[in-house]
Amino acid sequence: MGVTVLIARYLGEKKPELIGSVIGGAAVVFTLLSAVLFVVMVGFARSISVLMQAPAEAVALTASYVRICGSGIFFIVAYNLLAAVFRGLGDSKSPLLFVLVACVVNIIGDLVLVAGFHLDAAGAAIATVAAQAVSVVCAVVILLKKTLPFTIRKSDFRLNLQSRKFLSIGLPLALQEFLTQLSFLALCAFVNRLGLELPPATASPARSSTCHAHPSSLMQSMASFVSQNMGAGNPKRAKKAMFTGIGIGLAFGCAMFALVFFRGDLLSNVFTTDVAVIQNAFAYLKGFAPETLATAVLFSMVGYFNGNNKTVWVMVQGLVQTLLVRLPMAYIMSIQPNASLTMIGLAAPTSTAVGIVLNVCFFLYLERKEKNLKV
């Protein structure tokens, strides 16, 4: 996100000559990051699996999945970096193409390795890494063929001033995202306490990332669009984009809410045929359903603040949601005598609602501050 925002800002400011050093510095930084992730995920795969409180019967399979994904972390990070570059340039179609190719490769890989050769979790992990590798190749080919408003020199591939700038933008978001993902791992652990039959049920809702697809896309495109307009000195258009994003997100969110709340069993049926698992997943999704509406508002606001270089605030409000609302509520719900997945699922939309209130207050604060400066 830091790379996306900085590239978009330089385009808006008409300083494309600085973009090459942004990309070169990012390549160095994320190569180092990939190396660290490789060591952690491959060397501590079993410890990570145990930390997630995976059932004893599933620890070996989980560790295998983590280890293989860790081995391919370079492809996964490279894909995300290249997608960030394209989005910063205002091109969201190319990342869509990469994802499409990756999905096709992943599905074929799952059918061949899991269904055909019965490699279980290892096969699924290999298919995931292979899909990311193919998408990276596609991204590089398209980038080389694309007419770019900048040039990249060999001297750009080093830790430079631009590295410091995109890290100052992106590190707060990285910390927030890291802790948010840990909170979802903790959520899985809380659910695992309820019994062995339930973890597969959370695999479907954990695909609740499907419900976050449209607001996440709005957030990423919003950051790039807002950053370009702020760089071009057009804050009014940036604000209008945020409200437009909220409206579009709510339109899709209403349809998603209806599907998740009333027919979550059909959604869960895509991932499993086990009746008990489907019912447990449906129970979770009923509690989770309001999240499809709340994120439509929250993610558009977060995208606006990211593009406006208010990433420290985005980190703060994210940590409040995660550490003070989502985790405590999920834990409290999980230890009740009649604990249910529906009540645990409510932790997500509750924390998002708190995030919306915080962001509305911050937006009004910025508006008042802007008016005072004009006076």
Side-chain angles (χ1 to χ4, degrees), residues 280 282-288 333 339-347:
N280 286 327
F282 190 13
Y284 177 90
L285 287 173
K286 281 187 175 181
F288 177 86
M333 292 301 179
S340 70
L341 285 171
T342 299
M343 297 305 295
I344 294 176
L346 279 172

Side-chain angles (χ1 to χ4, degrees), residues 128-147:
T128 298
V129 172
Q132 295 285 358
V134 171
S135 66
V136 168
V137 173
C138 292
V140 171
V141 170
I142 292 178
L143 190 62
L144 292 175
K145 291 184 176 181
K146 193 178 181 68
T147 301

Side-chain angles (χ1 to χ4, degrees), residues 252-290:
F252 281 97
C254 288
M256 188 61 70
F257 174 84
L259 173 63
V260 170
F261 187 81
F262 295 107
R263 297 313 308 266
D265 52 342
L266 291 180
L267 188 62
S268 304
N269 194 50
V270 173
F271 304 105
T272 180
T273 57
D274 189 306
V275 176
V277 171
I278 290 173
Q279 291 304 313
N280 286 327
F282 190 13
Y284 177 90
L285 287 173
K286 281 187 175 181
F288 177 86

Side-chain angles (χ1 to χ4, degrees), residues 236-261:
K236 185 175 181 180
R237 194 178 184 205
K239 293 173 187 175
K240 185 177 180 181
M242 179 184 70
F243 291 112
T244 301
I246 290 174
I248 294 172
L250 284 174
F252 281 97
C254 288
M256 188 61 70
F257 174 84
L259 173 63
V260 170
F261 187 81

Side-chain angles (χ1 to χ4, degrees), residues 64-96:
S64 174
Y65 187 90
V66 172
R67 191 173 293 113
I68 293 171
C69 285
S71 300
I73 196 67
F74 293 95
F75 296 118
I76 295 172
V77 172
Y79 162 74
N80 283 280
L81 175 58
L82 289 167
V85 171
F86 279 101
R87 292 189 185 103
L89 294 172
D91 179 3
S92 60
K93 294 180 181 178
S94 293
L96 173 63

